[in-house]
Amino acid sequence: WIMDPVSGRHYASLLTGFLGSFLLRAVTSSVERWLRANCFRCIFGLGPGAGVLASERGLSWRDARLRLNVAQDKPICAIAALRLFFWHLLQPLSFFLIFWSWGSDLRSIQLVLGIAVLVRELLYFSCIVLAVIKAPTFLLIDVVTSWQSGSRGEVILYILMPEKFLGWYLAGYTALVHRYLHSYFATILALDCCGLASLWSYFFRGAAVPVPLVACYIVTSVSLMALPCWAFVLIVMRQAGIIPERWADQEPTGVPLEP
């Protein structure tokens, strides 16, 4: 089926959708920043403002609007809608289509592991819906400003592990999520390990797993290991004296969007 041009295009488009959400979360803040500095102020009346940081939980939509110095609701609603689809919904929807297209090729334990990863994406989808209702300011987070302000751990979570970030972010808005946050994290991590187990069996045991699902499992496995690897790098750099002892613990501060 890989050699069939029609299947190949279908395969490529679905993978592009799944992988694209990770890339868009990482790079489009810089594009938005340029548009804000050069176009939005003339068209929509947006002033310089300051960014909404990934580390700020509990920020209301009104406070975010004041922070961004927005004269109208339409521009930030448009940005929020685009981010909602391309940064967030695209990932679980693409995985669902991939699993629906190639899930019939899975057998026994691989099918169980694939369903586990599908449940992970469904939990992420549920978090997105709940966040839109309870904490829509997550759609206005400025990734570049957050990184520059010192919220590096939150940025890594937001880009590579959005399902974990949204769980943590929602805990600042609803007591129910805060109460069950550890259980949610434990569930997500267990489901992440299912994807890692399927990947291991594919590479080292020769298990039959469709290539599109392998690509998705690689991404979820990288996201699983990203934060521990970042923490390890920080510890090594601290011990080597490359960074100050409390560099990663500095309080995030607002950084203007314009250089």
Side-chain angles (χ1 to χ4, degrees):
W1 54 270
I2 297 179
M3 301 302 295
D4 180 7
V6 176
S7 297
R9 286 193 293 270
H10 180 57
Y11 155 82
S13 61
L14 290 178
L15 270 184
T16 299
F18 182 79
L19 302 176
S21 60
F22 290 89
L23 182 63
L24 288 170
R25 281 192 293 268
V27 303
T28 52
S29 273
S30 297
V31 177
E32 290 176 358
R33 192 176 188 181
W34 182 87
L35 288 172
R36 182 183 175 84
N38 295 277
C39 303
F40 287 180
R41 188 169 188 177
C42 298
I43 299 172
F44 297 117
L46 275 68
V52 175
L53 304 182
S55 58
E56 293 179 296
R57 298 187 296 178
L59 193 68
S60 68
W61 184 267
R62 180 178 179 276
D63 290 339
R65 176 179 169 176
L66 292 174
R67 171 80 60 80
L68 295 171
N69 195 20
V70 180
Q72 303 177 31
D73 270 329
K74 289 182 180 179
I76 59 170
C77 287
I79 291 173
L82 289 172
R83 287 184 174 188
L84 175 62
F85 181 77
F86 288 104
W87 287 26
H88 298 283
L89 291 176
L90 190 61
Q91 178 184 327
L93 292 177
S94 297
F95 184 82
F96 173 79
L97 290 174
I98 290 172
F99 187 82
W100 180 73
S101 299
W102 283 280
S104 59
D105 295 341
L106 299 175
R107 297 292 181 270
S108 60
I109 187 63
Q110 290 300 324
L111 179 60
V112 174
L113 294 174
I115 291 174
V117 179
L118 179 62
V119 171
R120 171 191 183 276
E121 295 300 327
L122 289 175
L123 286 174
Y124 176 34
F125 181 83
S126 301
C127 278
I128 294 171
V129 174
L130 183 59
V132 169
I133 298 171
K134 295 290 186 179
T137 49
F138 84 98
L139 295 169
L140 302 177
I141 288 173
D142 189 314
V143 174
V144 175
T145 300
S146 297
W147 182 271
Q148 292 175 345
S149 72
S151 303
R152 294 170 176 84
E154 290 87 347
V155 169
I156 292 173
L157 274 176
Y158 187 67
I159 294 174
L160 295 179
M161 295 171 277
E163 69 287 341
K164 300 176 186 65
F165 175 85
L166 278 186
W168 170 82
Y169 195 78
L170 280 166
Y173 289 85
T174 64
L176 183 64
V177 175
H178 185 272
R179 183 183 306 170
Y180 294 103
L181 183 61
H182 294 297
S183 299
Y184 171 77
F185 280 161
T187 302
I188 290 292
L189 288 173
L191 297 174
D192 280 341
C193 290
C194 291
L196 186 61
S198 181
L199 198 62
W200 180 85
S201 64
Y202 173 79
F203 283 112
F204 299 104
R205 301 290 296 274
V209 183
V211 173
L213 286 173
V214 170
C216 294
Y217 294 158
I218 290 174
V219 174
T220 56
S221 297
V222 169
S223 72
L224 173 65
M225 301 303 297
L227 200 60
C229 290
W230 172 253
F232 176 76
V233 169
L234 282 182
I235 293 173
V236 171
M237 293 177 71
R238 282 183 181 181
Q239 294 299 320
I242 299 175
I243 60 174
E245 184 67 21
R246 295 187 60 80
W247 173 77
D249 299 327
Q250 61 183 320
E251 288 294 325
T253 57
V255 178
L257 283 177
E258 293 185 346

